[in-house]
Amino acid sequence: MKRLEPLLPFVGVVGLVAVWYFAVWKQIVDPVLLPSPTTTFWALWKGMNGELGFDFIKTVYRTTMSIVIAAAIAIPLGIVLGSSERLYRSLEFVIDFFRSTPASAMFPLFLVLFGVGDETKISVAAFGAMLVILFNVAYGVMNARKTRLLAAKVMGASRLRVLSDVMLLESLPQTFVGLRNGVSLALVIVVVAEMFIGSQDGLGHSVFEAQQMFEMPRMYAAIFAAGALGYGLNLLFLLIERRFVHWSGK
Amino acid sequence: MSLAQPALKIEPAGVMPPVTEAVFKRPHVTIRGLSKRFNKTVIYDKFDLDIPRGKLISVFGPNGCGKSTLINMIAGLIPPDEGQILFDGMLLDEIKFGYVFQNYREALFPWLRAFDNIAYPLKMMGIGKAERQARVERLVERLGVKIDLNRYPYVMSGGQQQLVSIMRALVVEPEILFLDEPFSALDYEMTLFMREQLQRIFVETGTTTVLVSHDLEEAVYLADRVLLLSRHPALVADFVTYDAPRPRTDATLSDADFVQIKAHCLEVFQREVRKG
């Protein structure tokens, strides 16, 4: 029994596919709306070697760009804000307000600012992700264990040293929480932007176009590709975290 | 360190120049007119104390009387409102000292291996990597520590982590060592083991040590002098001398001398508790 445990995660997958086959076989759902798993995975395989693969790479590019920009701004800014609680408290409302504003509501504004190109999609996604990361980094720095800061101080660390040797590392686990949430949000925003803002490519465009043309296998394929991308990005950040923030949660 | 250590490590064979004798006898730390209040509560009001050199001082007193506040002020973690604390006539930032926190889990750096945790204060002193390595290794050998220091603190037991904390405090060869209830987060078995470790370290280094304890048995067992504080504003209720030879063992705990001193301390403590 113990040896079979690594296979547990596949139970759900097999179950889902089985239910799907059953639904198609019994024609519980209109076959036009729900193609068989075989047809869908064939469309996914074919698509990823062709147009869908191109769209996939486009979405990866936009999401990556936005998260890189967001992190490059939010991490240093979060450290600065977090290291002075007064400064953070004075900006807290603004950050919380825009963090709570649906980023999709900002599309029109960014369209006016950047036009209909990639810049708009990337910058809206970066904007949304940035606030999530900023908030987490600042809190990570602010919640640095007091004893640890005192310990560094007692050992003769200067203020700058305390910041770089202790606060920065103390905030890393929380920073990764921010990065993981940020990348998920960035992907959502990018995919939505690809659907509606005069887009020519990307997974969002692919889903939307397939739906418009009623090519259901292609649409499901694009949805699965987007799902795999989201899951993969999260996993990637988890692996990076486990590698570099080995003390997280310990 | 330059004064305290040779004086204690090398037993002068008979003849001792009178000057050295005077230095040896002079108190290590002099506290004068120390005052501290938190909000409206006066914790210390014009408090005076001399801490003798090369002795292990236990600080004991009623809850909230300011035991930890005292060593935190001496070690510069909390600024006093008034008063002066001098170490051989020098200020805190002119001397080397070590501080061991109660909460070892939060005091160590989990991103550094135990070895690098111990070496960290040397790094802060601007000492090069090779020299740091050598100094930590020397300390490990001197204390006879047998734990694997290449591990991260979070995989170690509580006692091992606190031992790493103590080594981190000792690696700079401090003139004075402060410990704030260092064993109170450990289980009883580990506490007994760590008491022995601390006693060995003290016998080995002879560093002036100030230990805050909430366990009277431990306070007396480890101490040369037991500082009994009154309720706040804290005064010296008694400064008891206990000079049983070291190393002390479990047998010490049932010595007439030990029992009597412990009983005396308890009496003073009870008197102070009832006052409040």
Side-chain angles (χ1 to χ4, degrees), chain A residues 20-154:
Chain A
W20 187 357
Y21 264 121
F22 183 78
V24 171
W25 176 54
K26 283 281 172 195
Q27 300 212 350
I28 296 171
V29 186
D30 187 336
V32 179
L33 295 181
L34 187 70
S36 79
T38 332
T39 321
T40 305
F41 287 113
W42 177 238
L44 181 62
W45 174 255
K46 230 173 42 187
M48 285 308 280
N49 287 310
E51 207 181 329
L52 184 61
F54 174 77
D55 287 325
F56 187 86
I57 289 167
K58 274 289 183 186
T59 303
V60 169
Y61 164 77
R62 288 174 187 137
T63 310
T64 310
M65 282 303 283
S66 56
I67 200 77
V68 166
I69 293 168
I73 299 171
I75 292 178
L77 201 61
I79 292 167
V80 172
L81 292 185
S83 58
S84 158
E85 193 152 348
R86 260 195 211 151
L87 189 59
Y88 187 79
R89 293 286 166 237
S90 48
L91 290 177
E92 189 174 28
F93 176 75
V94 178
I95 294 170
D96 278 351
F97 183 84
F98 282 104
R99 202 164 60 86
S100 316
T101 308
S104 44
M106 308 292 274
F107 280 148
L109 173 64
F110 278 73
L111 273 172
V112 174
L113 292 176
F114 295 104
V116 289
D118 261 5
E119 291 92 339
T120 304
K121 301 179 190 73
I122 293 171
S123 50
V124 179
F127 175 80
M130 191 191 82
L131 290 165
V132 173
I133 300 170
L134 179 70
F135 163 82
N136 278 288
V137 173
Y139 264 90
V141 173
M142 275 191 287
N143 292 337
R145 308 285 202 303
K146 262 199 120 179
T147 311
R148 222 161 257 156
L149 302 178
L150 271 181
K153 201 184 136 213
V154 156

Side-chain angles (χ1 to χ4, degrees), chain A residues 145-148 150-158 161-162 165-166 169-170 246-247 250, chain B residues 75-77 97 99 101 103 105-111 117 120-121 123-124 152 154 168:
Chain A
R145 308 285 202 303
K146 262 199 120 179
T147 311
R148 222 161 257 156
L150 271 181
K153 201 184 136 213
V154 156
M155 290 186 281
S158 63
R161 265 293 192 186
V162 172
D165 282 8
V166 186
L169 288 148
E170 275 276 284
H246 53 85
W247 66 90
K250 281 174 179 152
Chain B
L77 294 180
F97 68 97
Y99 188 106
F101 292 86
N103 191 342
R105 220 177 280 282
E106 291 196 354
L108 290 173
F109 298 150
W111 46 85
N117 262 289
Y120 186 80
K123 194 174 162 190
M124 289 306 102
Y152 287 100
Y154 53 78
R168 180 174 76 173

Side-chain angles (χ1 to χ4, degrees), chain B residues 225-261:
Chain B
R225 303 285 299 272
V226 183
L227 176 65
L228 293 162
L229 292 176
S230 68
R231 267 196 195 283
H232 56 75
L235 296 169
V236 177
D238 204 345
F239 201 9
V240 184
T241 302
Y242 179 53
D243 50 12
R246 295 179 193 274
R248 297 167 189 168
T249 61
D250 290 347
T252 311
L253 298 177
S254 40
D255 273 357
D257 200 21
F258 177 85
V259 173
Q260 191 239 318
I261 288 188

Side-chain angles (χ1 to χ4, degrees), chain B residues 24-250:
Chain B
F24 185 81
K25 287 263 170 68
R26 211 171 64 194
H28 191 165
V29 186
T30 48
I31 300 168
R32 293 290 176 268
L34 194 70
S35 297
K36 181 74 190 174
R37 54 175 67 214
F38 288 123
N39 299 320
K40 277 181 189 148
T41 317
V42 179
I43 309 287
Y44 285 96
D45 185 28
K46 304 219 170 13
F47 182 84
D48 296 336
L49 179 71
D50 285 343
I51 297 177
R53 176 184 313 283
K55 301 284 183 202
L56 199 156
I57 315 298
S58 294
V59 185
F60 190 77
N63 256 340
C65 74
K67 302 186 288 273
S68 298
T69 308
L70 179 65
I71 74 161
N72 286 344
M73 282 194 289
I74 304 175
L77 294 180
I78 305 175
D81 296 338
E82 264 174 70
Q84 191 184 44
I85 301 168
L86 293 176
F87 305 80
D88 286 319
M90 290 186 286
L91 292 169
L92 183 74
D93 47 14
E94 295 171 285
I95 64 150
K96 285 187 281 184
F97 68 97
Y99 188 106
V100 177
F101 292 86
Q102 176 185 2
N103 191 342
Y104 48 83
R105 220 177 280 282
E106 291 196 354
L108 290 173
F109 298 150
W111 46 85
L112 296 181
R113 292 172 195 280
F115 194 96
D116 298 316
N117 262 289
I118 298 170
Y120 186 80
L122 296 175
K123 194 174 162 190
M124 289 306 102
M125 289 163 65
I127 292 167
K129 197 167 182 209
E131 175 65 15
R132 294 203 295 264
Q133 179 115 6
R135 284 216 201 172
V136 176
E137 275 163 10
R138 217 154 54 211
L139 180 71
V140 170
E141 201 170 319
R142 190 160 149 214
L143 302 180
V145 171
K146 286 184 188 67
I147 55 178
D148 179 8
L149 296 175
N150 277 316
R151 290 183 303 160
Y152 287 100
Y154 53 78
V155 298
M156 295 180 152
S157 72
Q160 289 175 333
Q161 290 184 48
Q162 195 56 298
L163 190 57
V164 169
S165 297
I166 295 174
M167 289 170 75
R168 180 174 76 173
L170 286 172
V171 76
V172 299
E173 302 187 349
E175 292 156 54
I176 183 162
L177 177 66
F178 302 99
L179 303 107
D180 183 11
E181 302 199 10
F183 311 139
S184 60
L186 302 175
D187 61 43
Y188 191 62
E189 191 185 334
M190 195 49 87
T191 303
L192 293 183
F193 173 73
M194 289 303 291
R195 275 183 205 169
E196 292 322 308
Q197 295 283 317
L198 181 64
Q199 177 170 238
R200 267 192 42 216
I201 288 168
F202 176 69
V203 170
E204 175 65 32
T205 64
T207 311
T208 307
T209 303
V210 184
L211 166 83
V212 171
S213 179
H214 69 292
D215 177 343
L216 186 57
E217 184 180 88
E218 172 179 289
V220 178
Y221 176 77
L222 287 171
D224 295 308
R225 303 285 299 272
V226 183
L227 176 65
L228 293 162
L229 292 176
S230 68
R231 267 196 195 283
H232 56 75
L235 296 169
V236 177
D238 204 345
F239 201 9
V240 184
T241 302
Y242 179 53
D243 50 12
R246 295 179 193 274
R248 297 167 189 168
T249 61
D250 290 347

